[in-house]
Amino acid sequence: MDGEQQPGPNHPAPTPSVPPVVSKPKDPIPEEAATAQQLEDVEKQMTGFERATLRWARAAVIMSGLAAIFVCLQWWEMHAGSKDTHNLAVAAANQATWTQNLAADMKTQADRTKDLADRMKEQADETKTIADQAVIQANANTKSAQNAVDTLSNTKQSFRDEQRAWIGVQGTSDTKGFTEKLPWQVTVVFFNSGRTPAQNVQSSGGYITSGVPISGPSAQQIATLDFRPAQSIAPQGYYREMIGTEVSAEAVTSIEISGEQTLISQYTQIKNKKLFLYYFGLLKYDDTFGKPHETQFCILLANPDTKKAGMCDAFNDLN
């Protein structure tokens, strides 16, 4: 091959070279391993006390490291907690501020409400005062009106009293009879002292005999009276009613007839004052204003010997 020398006699073949044997150095021991080995060798050379002390030193170092880690963790937790506490404090401060503002607003609203209540109370007091004054004025007006009504009514009543008929008993007259055959007879005189006539006149009469003196008839005895029409009585006029005998042109009832007979039969006892004889009755009438009135009368045989009449202690009123 071109460029290559071939072995021949002039060119002997080259002797192969044998690489020198180089002893391979041992791998170097790492520094950390050497240190550990040295420490182990040193530890083997130590006494038991020194080895225990070394162990305690190692433990102290480990504990110091753990303590440092714990302190770091605690610091981190406290730092994070302080941050949370700060945030909580800020939130609490904000809440307190909001609460304070709310309280201030509520106080302002309460003050306004109180002012409104005070104004309403003042208005109510003024209204009550006005109402009280109105009531007082109304009462005064009512009283004035009532006084006016009363005055007018009194004036009318006074006018009517002045103008109406007033019938009263003026006395008795024409006493007679009182014998064994005739009862005691007496005339009752009524007089109209008013300025107008008495109308719709009705008269009644009855008698009572009693073993003891009495002041007048009882309610039951008054209820037994029978009324009969009588003449009207003119102003300043008289009306005379005969008691104890029948009146001409007037019907005589069976009761009246029996009454006369009873009186005749009691003549001796009345004469000897063992019985007391009373005549009583009512005169009813209307005045010109249509108001009804009545006049009472009660007389007694005061002296059977003289046939004198007297007035009873009661039942002699008029209205």
Side-chain angles (χ1 to χ4, degrees), residues 7-272:
N10 298 323
H11 296 82
T15 303
S17 63
V18 178
V21 178
V22 180
S23 59
K24 187 176 179 181
K26 294 181 180 180
D27 295 332
I29 299 173
E31 184 179 355
E32 293 82 358
T35 302
Q37 185 64 37
Q38 292 175 358
L39 290 175
E40 184 177 356
D41 293 339
V42 172
E43 185 176 356
K44 289 179 179 179
Q45 296 176 2
M46 291 180 179
T47 64
F49 175 76
E50 291 174 343
R51 284 196 296 272
T53 302
L54 180 60
R55 291 190 188 97
W56 278 107
R58 288 176 180 173
V61 171
I62 293 172
M63 292 298 293
S64 297
L66 292 175
I69 293 172
F70 176 76
V71 170
C72 292
L73 291 175
Q74 188 176 16
W75 176 85
W76 175 258
E77 183 178 358
M78 291 177 63
H79 178 71
S82 64
K83 185 177 181 180
D84 293 339
T85 302
H86 174 71
N87 294 335
L88 182 61
V90 172
N94 293 336
Q95 180 68 24
T97 302
W98 180 83
T99 303
Q100 184 177 7
N101 293 336
L102 179 61
D105 292 340
M106 293 178 66
K107 182 178 182 301
T108 302
Q109 185 64 31
D111 293 339
R112 292 177 181 176
T113 303
K114 183 177 181 300
D115 292 340
L116 179 60
D118 291 339
R119 289 196 296 270
M120 292 178 65
K121 182 178 182 301
E122 291 176 359
Q123 185 66 32
D125 292 340
E126 292 178 358
T127 303
K128 182 178 182 300
T129 301
I130 295 174
D132 292 341
Q133 292 176 351
V135 170
I136 294 173
Q137 186 63 37
N139 291 336
N141 294 338
T142 301
K143 186 175 181 180
S144 297
Q146 186 62 44
N147 290 338
V149 171
D150 293 342
T151 300
L152 179 60
S153 177
N154 293 335
T155 301
K156 290 181 179 180
Q157 187 62 42
S158 177
F159 173 78
R160 290 177 179 177
D161 290 343
E162 289 178 357
Q163 299 297 319
R164 56 157 283 197
W166 287 91
I167 307 298
V169 177
Q170 193 176 51
T172 59
S173 64
D174 302 331
T175 57
K176 56 185 179 180
F178 192 58
T179 65
E180 295 178 351
K181 296 182 179 180
L182 292 175
W184 179 51
Q185 300 175 0
V186 60
T187 300
V188 181
V189 180
F190 297 93
F191 176 68
N192 182 4
S193 60
R195 298 182 179 182
T196 54
Q199 302 172 338
N200 302 321
V201 179
Q202 299 181 63
S203 66
S204 64
Y207 75 93
I208 304 169
T209 56
S210 173
V212 294
I214 60 175
S215 59
S218 65
Q220 293 79 3
Q221 292 167 337
I222 295 171
T224 61
L225 291 173
D226 290 327
F227 291 87
R228 64 184 65 182
Q231 67 188 41
S232 297
I233 306 174
Q236 306 301 311
Y238 295 90
Y239 171 73
R240 292 175 174 84
E241 181 173 357
M242 178 69 71
I243 306 295
T245 184
E246 69 174 87
V247 181
S248 60
E250 292 184 357
V252 178
T253 64
S254 59
I255 295 177
E256 290 173 333
I257 295 174
S258 63
E260 290 181 3
Q261 294 174 351
T262 301
L263 286 176
I264 292 172
S265 66
Q266 294 176 341
Y267 167 76
T268 302
Q269 291 178 299
I270 296 172
K271 179 72 174 177
N272 295 331

